[in-house]
């Protein structure tokens, strides 16, 4: 199985928490932003994107290694197709509602 995100990224690198230099930091931020936009169409990189975006405030070497791993994954898997089997139309639909607005009769808002 191939995955764009893993806990093994950075193992064996002694300086993974070293902050990125300013010139690399700009490139990292730009690539992380592009990844955020592409993750909307690619659910397979959603988790890895979330982990990278959590490091945007203070990018370090580990964040760059994670970004490069996702980049390599996207190069190797440029196109993804999802296929759904045909499903029969349901015979009945069951719907549950909150008839008393969660006990909030004044605002009538359910939390």
């Amino acid at each position: 199985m191939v995955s764009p995100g893993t806990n093994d990224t950075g193992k064996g690198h002694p300086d993974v928490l070293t902050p990125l230099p300013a010139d690399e930091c700009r490139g990292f931020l730009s690539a992380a932003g592009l990844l955020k936009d592409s993750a909307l169409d690619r659910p397979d990189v959603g988790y890895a994107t979330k982990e990278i975006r959590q490091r945007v405030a203070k990018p370090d070497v580990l964040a760059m290694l994670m970004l490069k791993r996702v980049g390599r994954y996207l190069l190797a898997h440029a196109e993804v197709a999802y296929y759904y089997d045909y499903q029969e139309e349901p015979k009945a639909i069951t719907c549950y509602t909150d008839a008393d607005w969660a006990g909030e009769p004044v605002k009538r808002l359910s939390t």
Side-chain angles (χ1 to χ4, degrees):
M1 182 173 149
V2 179
S3 171
T6 179
N7 291 335
D8 293 336
T9 303
K11 285 189 178 176
H13 294 276
D15 57 347
V16 292
L17 298 179
T18 304
L20 288 178
D23 59 331
E24 286 185 40
C25 193
R26 282 189 295 274
F28 171 82
L29 294 175
S30 176
L34 289 172
L35 183 60
K36 176 187 65 102
D37 292 338
S38 66
L40 296 172
D41 295 329
R42 297 285 303 262
D44 54 335
V45 296
Y47 175 77
T49 300
K50 176 191 70 84
E51 293 296 317
I52 291 169
R53 296 288 296 170
Q54 288 179 346
R55 297 176 170 271
V56 167
K58 292 183 179 180
D60 52 17
V61 173
L62 179 59
M64 184 60 88
L65 290 172
M66 294 165 68
L67 184 65
K68 288 179 181 180
R69 180 179 173 87
V70 174
R72 287 190 301 270
Y73 174 84
L74 289 173
L75 284 174
H77 301 88
E79 294 181 16
V80 176
Y82 295 98
Y83 296 100
Y84 299 98
D85 292 331
Y86 177 77
Q87 298 177 3
E88 295 292 327
E89 191 171 315
K91 304 287 186 235
I93 297 176
T94 305
C95 179
Y96 298 98
T97 63
D98 186 1
D100 69 346
W101 296 285
E104 182 63 52
V106 177
K107 295 181 185 175
R108 296 185 182 229
L109 295 175
S110 181
T111 55

